[in-house]
Every structure is written in structure tokens, then in C-alpha cells.
């Protein structure tokens, strides 16, 4: 089959160089040092507003901030495996000592976070978009 001028021109314009794929360098996640002053004031404000939820941790009631108010830097601590640093930020200051005494396993802590998410009627990190339309789109 012979190529005409239009198809030859189209072939020239559609050829693209291959994309360069480079993986981003892994970042070390460390707890930020300025949490103390800001978080102490924020914790007092949260306590005054009554924004804490109560969830069971190893059979004990522990107050925790709802997931909707967690900062992204706090989530990075959790995902980096720095659970104690994360817990210190989200658990009520008066209940943090109890958390340390209970020394929960990862599974127990995950259940605790899950219960807090259920009480807040949301799940962390699972944002669902709008439902798909039940109408089929017409193909052209």
C-alpha cells in the first residue's frame, strides 16, 4: 500500500521521542522539631472545642483527634512507620501516657485508628469520587 502525502505527514508528526522515566529519590521522613509550641496550643484549642473522639485501644478508652483534622505531615509520620511520633500528635495529651503504657501492637493500633475513623464516618486515605452515571454514553 502506498502512503499518500497526508499519511506520511501524519506519521512524521506523531513520532515522539521516548519519555524519560526517573524514579523520585526516596525522602527521609523525620518528625519536625517545631511541633511542640504549635501543637500544644492547637491541642488546647481542640480540647476546648471538644473535637476529640473516644476509641478503644487494647480495651481502654483513649481520646484521639478525628482523621479530618490530621495534618499531612502527621500522615507522613504514620506512613513512614513513626507511630509513636504520630500518636503523640493525634492522641489527647492526657491519654498519651496511657498509650505508652499499653504499648499496642501495629494491629491493635490499626484497629484503634479504624474505630476512630468509623466514629468520624470516614476512612483515612480512601476518597471515593462521584458515582458513575448509569446512562451509557453514545459512541461515535
Amino acid at each position: 500500500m502506498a502512503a499518500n502525502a497526508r499519511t506520511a505527514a501524519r506519521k512524521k508528526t506523531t513520532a515522539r521521542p521516548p519519555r524519560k522515566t526517573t524514579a523520585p529519590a526516596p525522602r527521609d521522613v523525620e518528625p519536625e522539631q517545631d511541633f511542640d509550641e504549635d501543637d500544644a496550643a492547637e491541642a488546647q484549642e481542640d480540647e476546648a472545642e471538644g473535637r476529640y473522639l473516644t476509641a478503644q485501644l487494647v480495651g481502654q478508652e483513649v481520646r484521639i483527634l478525628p482523621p479530618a483534622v490530621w495534618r499531612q505531615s502527621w500522615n507522613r509520620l504514620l506512613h513512614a512507620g513513626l507511630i509513636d511520633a504520630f500518636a503523640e500528635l493525634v492522641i489527647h495529651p492526657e491519654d498519651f501516657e496511657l498509650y505508652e503504657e499499653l504499648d499496642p501492637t501495629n494491629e491493635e493500633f490499626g484497629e484503634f485508628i479504624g474505630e476512630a475513623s468509623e466514629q468520624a464516618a470516614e476512612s483515612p486515605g480512601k476518597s471515593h469520587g462521584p458515582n458513575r452515571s448509569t446512562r451509557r454514553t453514545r459512541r461515535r
Side-chain angles (χ1 to χ4, degrees):
M1 219 174 169
N4 62 28
R6 252 193 273 168
T7 59
R10 192 177 326 144
K11 287 181 183 176
K12 288 180 184 177
T13 59
T14 59
R16 292 186 179 145
R19 288 186 175 180
K20 294 179 181 178
T21 56
T22 56
R27 295 177 23 185
D28 291 332
V29 179
E30 295 182 17
E32 295 180 17
Q33 298 301 320
D34 61 340
F35 279 135
D36 297 331
E37 295 172 15
D38 297 335
D39 292 330
E42 188 173 323
Q44 287 176 347
E45 182 181 316
D46 291 335
E47 185 177 4
E49 293 178 8
R51 292 199 301 183
Y52 282 91
L53 303 171
T54 302
Q56 293 289 318
L57 179 63
V58 194
Q60 299 286 326
E61 287 191 352
V62 177
R63 291 171 287 184
I64 182 171
L65 288 170
V69 298
W70 295 351
R71 301 259 180 223
Q72 291 303 310
S73 58
W74 302 354
N75 281 324
R76 285 192 295 272
L77 292 172
L78 179 62
H79 294 296
L82 301 171
I83 296 181
D84 287 337
F86 169 78
E88 189 171 8
L89 296 170
V90 299
I91 291 177
H92 192 279
E94 294 174 9
D95 292 348
F96 185 71
E97 188 175 314
L98 175 62
Y99 160 81
E100 290 180 318
E101 289 173 13
L102 294 172
D103 193 22
T105 64
N106 287 339
E107 183 178 357
E108 291 166 337
F109 189 76
E111 290 171 359
F112 171 66
I113 297 296
E115 184 179 337
S117 296
E118 286 175 14
Q119 287 185 23
E122 62 186 65
S123 61
K126 304 267 185 187
S127 175
H128 299 287
N131 290 337
R132 294 183 64 165
S133 173
T134 57
R135 299 172 80 185
R136 290 186 134 319
T137 55
R138 191 173 109 195
R139 294 186 183 187
R140 295 181 181 191

